[in-house]
Structures are given as structure tokens and as C-alpha cells.
Amino acid sequence: MLEAIWQGLMMATSLKVLGLMLVACFIGNFFGAVPGLGGNLALALLIPFVFGWEPFAGLAFLLSMHAVVHTGGSIPGILFAIPGTGPTVATIVDGFPMTKMGKGGQAMGAQLAASGLGGVIGAFVLALLIPVVRPIAIAFGSPEVLMLIVFGLTFVVILSRDSIPKGFMSAMLGLLLSTVGLNPHTGVGRFTFDQLWLWDGLHIVTVVLGLFAFAEMIDLGARGRGGQIAKGEVKMPWYQLWEGTVAVFTNWWLALRTAVIGTFIGIIPGLGGDVATWVCYGHAVQTCKNNENFGKGDIRGVIAVETANNAKEGGALLPTIVFGIPGSSGMALLLGAFLILGITPGPQMLTDHLDLVWGMVWVLVISNIFGALSLYPISGWMGKLAYIRGSLLIPPIMVLAGIGAFLIRGHWQDFILVAFTGLLGFSMKKWKYSRPPMILGFILGRLAEDYLHKSLAAWGFAFLLRPVCLGLLILSIASLGYSIWHQHREKKLKKKKIKIVPGEFYFTLFIFLVFVMGFYLSTNWGVKSRLLPQVIVIIGGVISLWQLIKMKTIAKSREEAVEAEDAKTGKEVLPDTKQKSTPRSEWTMIMWVGIFFTLTILLGFWVSITLFSVMFLYFFGRESLKTITIFTISLWVGIYVAFGVVMKASLFGGVLGYLIENLSG
């Protein structure tokens, strides 16, 4: 064993391999930081390049690139609430509020240090598990994985600190959206409306870009041309990065726990980083003292998510190399790369190629350190983007988010869908519906249904009596009950006053009607196809109906009491930022979003980038002609170089492009 560890270290620290790993880290950070790209696309593009390479060199290159994707993916999430990759969505919950408070440097410092530390811990846990991995992997079958998912869903309460019913409604809405597409067990199309592009369901990137990126840009634009993400004119000094870095090691016990949990979740095939980050975030909220600031800008939320995010790659690598079962979609692509490089995963890896296994462990350690350190020099500069006025920030972010939504599957319908999810996300933010529970429900819904049918087919409902399942079920009930009791006690002690936001009743009514329509449409499917969707819509419908009745009967008296108290004390409820939006400014910004999507659908991305930038900067931003010219040319050239030259991506050409192509053909 010691000889294999030493040989693996020598393989990973050769000058050739170190150079390849350094290049791979920069590529991985780039693909992670650009929304809609991600590690899977990077692997798909780079695997052909390693054909014919020396096996370990090619493996180290691809593994390094994949290991740091989520490190770069958290940066746009912290700065603009735009997740670069799916698992980094959870970072937004506390990272983006920290940026709005002028503490973006601390969030990024914590993110980088936690990512590096989590990756290193995950690699070492992988090393410790190598001798004992087989019993652990065998212990988790479909029923155990299902109950682990149920346990993850209990964190919906934790993510809904202001209103538990709204949190449940948001989660049910996410679960309902996860059922869109062909049922993998029956082949029945659910909520597809005879649209072929919906057969594969909705993509997580499309949903997230709408709920967060476009929603935040609407909110930012509604505050006027001078609106900015962060408050005040505070710059992002280097000492903030240092404070965030120190905070990770100050909270070392939290970082260690979440890294280990993330690694074990990564071991279970099919769960992946999305589950790991949300489970670890919920664990942090439940176990940390003074947790009232979670979701409002608590650095511990960033630490918990980021350590789990990178640590889970070590866990996902384990079943991939030992059993040939990929622990995640990225590992599935790496599995193909193994075969191309002449490496056959399986139990023999632990006997015939143990030095190669230890070499991969060292690659994970070194690449995570490289990936984090390489971003420190530019993080301070990138943080200043949070203080740019909205008129200059909105066009490039909308363009990048729109391109990301289209490129993920190449469907122009996804581009339209991101507009609707953007309006939904803005409405949820405006009327105090937590968005993270919806993402959690969307991520876990499809997995839950798959493992539910497998468990019922093999054991019936008796699977609930299996020891691990029973333990997880008891833990889920206890966790849910404790969270509800704790939040009820907090509200009672603080005597929080409930104030109904105008329009909230009608938005809740809209959600109720969605559940009603979902139930009506599901009545035409078979029992296996409608089982989970009907459970979802019944729970969601009952909760939303109860919320409507509650709002209708007591909202008026409570609002009057609050207004009387505020008038008496002279208090004024201030918005989160210096700029205050109005219904008129909100509708104006929604109109601009509509203009962007209309231009793109009619004329394609390349033309709409120019026209929209010029129109938005001139009419909305009232910028000078010089600024408009320089900005528009820079944006167009940057998009062209990144997507047209480097990636050679074919962007949507619009209806006009389609007509020209067919007429010329």
C-alpha cells in the first residue's frame, strides 16, 4: 500500500503532469464560470484531444479540469445570483446576499478556501475508503437511496424561514416540474402538450437561469439605471478575501463535517452534487448556533455548500473506478475517457493498478489547491462588477444567461422557457416565496420517482422496514418536526408581524390553479405514471388553498395592525438596497426582457446582441454615444470570440436566419 501511495505521488508530481493539470484548472474554472457550459460540456469537448496520450497524463488532465469546475461556477452565483453549474445554486442562498451587503469579498474568499479544502478532504476520505468501499456501496440499494432523498426533502422547511407553507408550495411546484417529460418506467408523456422538446423534461440549467439570473436582472433594472447589486460604494479589498479564507478554518469542524457528508453522498450513484450541497446546507442550518441569518448572508452557508461541492467528486470517483458505475454524469463521461485511454475500471483496479488509483487521489488534492489559488488574484477585480450600475450590467448578463439556456440542449424553446421561469422567479421574490425549495424539489423529484418505483417493484411497501430505510425515515420525521417546532418558537419569541404584500393573494391563487390543472391532466395517465404527480398536486393544492383562506380571512386585520403600529412608532420599512422599485418600473423592466427575447427569436442572437444593447443603453441607461459604441462592440466581440471562435458554437439564428437559409438552399 505505501509503495502504491508513493508511486501515485510521483506520477502526479511529474513536471509534465503538473503542467497539464495547471492548464486543465484554468479551463475548468472558465467552463464553470460561464453559465450554461459546465464540466460535462468541457469533458465532451476535451476527451477527443487526449486520444493517444499516455494514460495517466490524459486521466490527470481530464480529472483536474472536472474537479475544479464548481470552484469557478460559484463566482457568478456569488456576484450576480447566476449559478455557473447546477450544484452551485446552493451557494447563492447566502453568497449573493453577502455581495448585496458589500461583503462579496468575504463570500468569495470563503468559497475559494472551502472549495480547495473540501476537495482535499474528499480526496483523503476517498483514500481512507478504498480498502473498505465494497460493504458501503452494497449497503445502499434503491430503498436506501430513496429514503436519503426523502431526508433531503425535509430541508425544505429550513430553506423557508419566513413562511413554512410558502416553502412547501415552492417545493411542490419544483417537484411537479420535475415530472414533465416521458415517464422512464411507462413511456407516458406527462405535461408535454404534444411537444417533442418536452419529452426529455425541463433542464435544471434552464430553470435555474430563469429563477435566479433573469429574476435578479428584472429586480435590478426595476431600481433604475443607477441600481447596483451591492449597497453603497464599498470596494472589494483584499482583506475581505483574507477574512473569508480565515473564516473557513475558524469553522473547521463545520467544513470537515460537510466535506465528509458530501463525499459519502458522492459515493452513491445517481445523487450527485446537487443533493450533496443541499443536504450539507440543511445540516449546517440545523447544527449551527445563531442560525437566524442563514439565507440572509451567513458565511457558514457558503462554507458548508462549497466544501461539499468539491468533496463529493472524491466520493463520485470511488464507484466509478472500483465498480465501473459512474457516481455522477461527469464521472460517466470520465468512464468513457478511461476506456479510450486503455484503462478498464473494476475491482481489479485495487489490485493490479493501485498506483493509478492513488495517482488519481493525488491529482484531486493538487488540482483543488491549484484551482482555488489560481482564482485569488482575479477575484478582487471580479468583485468590483457588483458595483457597476445596472444599465451596464444587465445586457451582458441577460445575453450570457440566454445563450446558456439555448446551448445546454440546443432548443430555441428552452430560450423561451427561461423567460417564463424568469417571470416566475421575479414573482416569487417579490411576493416572498423562497426559490431554493423549488430548486431542491426539482432536483430531487425525478430521482425520488425513479427509486420509488424500483423499491416498490422489488419489495413493495415493505422496503420501509429495512433497517437503514427505517432509520432514515425516523431521522426525516424528527428533523422535520424539530425544524417546524424551532421556527414556530422563534416566531413566537420574536413576535413577528405578518404583512401581506400587494398581489400576493393573486400569485398564491395562480399557484393553486397550477396544482388543480396538474391534477386534472394527470387523471388520463396510468396508475404508475400518475402516482407521484397526484401526490404532489394534492399536497400542494391543500397547502395553497389553506394559505389562500388564511390570507383572505386574517390578512386585512393584520395589515391594519402593522400599519397602525408603524404609524405610531414612525418606523418605515426600507428596501434591501438604496434604490426602490415601483410597479411601473417593474413592468418597464419586464417589457425590456420581452424586447430582448422578441429580437432574439426574430433576428437571432448575433443581431439581437447589438440591437438590444444599443436600445437598452440609449433609452433605459441614457448613456453617451461613446459609451454605447464601445460597450456594444466589446460585448459582441467578446461573445463572438468565446462562443463563435473558441467553442465553435452554433447560436440560434432566429426566424429571419431560418428563412434566409431555406431560401438560399
Side-chain angles (χ1 to χ4, degrees), residues 631-647:
F631 184 91
T632 303
I633 292 175
S634 300
L635 177 61
W636 197 95
V637 171
I639 296 296
Y640 176 74
V641 171
F643 294 97
V645 177
V646 177
M647 292 184 55

Side-chain angles (χ1 to χ4, degrees), residues 131-369:
V132 294
V133 62
R134 189 175 182 84
I136 296 174
I138 293 175
F140 271 78
S142 296
E144 286 76 19
V145 176
L146 171 63
M147 295 315 299
L148 186 62
I149 292 172
V150 172
F151 178 63
L153 283 170
T154 62
F155 294 135
V156 65
V157 178
I158 298 170
L159 299 172
S160 315
R161 305 185 67 85
D162 293 329
S163 173
I164 293 175
K166 288 182 179 180
F168 271 111
M169 290 162 61
S170 179
M172 292 302 112
L173 199 57
L175 285 167
L176 186 63
L177 290 178
S178 73
T179 64
V180 173
L182 295 182
N183 186 321
H185 297 275
T186 64
V188 173
R190 301 180 299 188
F191 306 120
T192 57
F193 306 104
D194 295 326
Q195 296 295 309
L196 186 63
W197 67 280
L198 285 175
W199 281 16
D200 290 331
L202 308 180
H203 199 282
I204 179 63
V205 172
T206 306
V207 176
V208 166
L209 285 174
L211 282 179
F212 287 96
F214 275 95
E216 293 298 337
M217 289 305 101
I218 293 173
D219 180 65
L220 179 62
R223 293 185 239 137
R225 66 180 294 269
Q228 56 189 40
I229 290 175
K231 294 174 68 174
E233 299 295 331
V234 182
K235 301 299 180 183
M236 185 181 288
W238 286 101
Y239 77 81
Q240 280 197 1
L241 290 171
W242 175 248
E243 287 176 350
T245 302
V246 171
V248 174
F249 296 95
T250 303
N251 295 278
W252 65 271
W253 179 230
L254 173 65
L256 179 62
R257 295 198 314 269
T258 50
V260 172
I261 293 172
T263 305
F264 276 95
I265 291 176
I267 292 174
I268 303 171
L271 291 190
D274 301 298
V275 178
T277 52
W278 287 113
V279 168
C280 288
Y281 183 82
H283 170 76
V285 178
Q286 282 191 320
T287 58
C288 289
K289 296 180 180 179
N290 303 318
N291 61 1
E292 61 274 2
N293 286 327
F294 274 91
K296 302 175 183 177
D298 196 312
I299 198 169
R300 293 173 296 179
V302 177
I303 294 170
V305 170
E306 290 301 318
T307 49
N309 209 355
N310 281 35
K312 63 96 174 47
E313 293 302 330
L317 184 62
L318 198 56
T320 307
I321 60 178
V322 177
F323 304 117
I325 301 173
S328 64
S329 57
M331 288 299 164
L333 292 174
L334 274 176
L335 189 62
F338 286 174
L339 300 176
I340 290 175
L341 292 167
I343 302 170
T344 304
Q348 72 276 6
M349 291 287 290
L350 299 181
T351 54
D352 302 337
H353 304 288
L354 191 57
D355 58 338
L356 195 65
V357 174
W358 279 103
M360 286 187 272
V361 172
W362 287 114
V363 165
L364 283 176
V365 172
I366 297 170
S367 59
N368 274 285
I369 295 173

Side-chain angles (χ1 to χ4, degrees), residues 433-554:
Y433 279 79
S434 180
R435 290 169 287 175
M438 182 174 174
I439 297 298
L440 181 62
F442 184 82
I443 291 169
L444 296 181
R446 191 167 298 181
L447 291 171
E449 184 173 29
D450 184 41
Y451 287 113
L452 173 63
H453 286 299
K454 288 179 179 177
S455 301
L456 290 174
W459 291 278
F461 286 101
F463 77 83
L464 292 170
L465 300 178
R466 290 164 65 95
V468 177
C469 291
L470 192 59
L472 286 171
L473 179 60
I474 294 172
L475 189 62
S476 299
I477 295 172
S479 172
L480 189 63
Y482 172 77
S483 298
I484 294 175
W485 173 81
H486 183 69
Q487 289 190 21
H488 176 73
R489 182 171 172 268
E490 272 189 347
K491 288 185 177 181
K492 191 174 181 180
L493 289 174
K494 295 180 180 179
K495 297 180 180 179
K496 289 186 177 180
K497 300 169 184 177
I498 300 175
K499 190 171 184 177
I500 305 300
V501 181
E504 183 180 344
F505 176 84
Y506 298 104
F507 182 69
T508 305
L509 178 62
F510 165 75
I511 295 178
F512 171 72
L513 293 176
V514 169
F515 289 129
V516 171
M517 182 60 67
F519 182 84
Y520 172 74
L521 293 174
S522 66
T523 55
N524 297 319
W525 310 328
V527 176
K528 290 184 69 175
S529 296
R530 69 171 183 257
L531 176 61
L532 185 64
Q534 288 195 342
V535 170
I536 293 169
V537 296
I538 289 173
I539 294 175
V542 169
I543 295 175
S544 56
L545 181 60
W546 178 80
Q547 184 75 357
L548 284 170
I549 296 172
K550 177 184 173 183
M551 291 167 62
K552 195 69 175 176
T553 54
I554 66 175

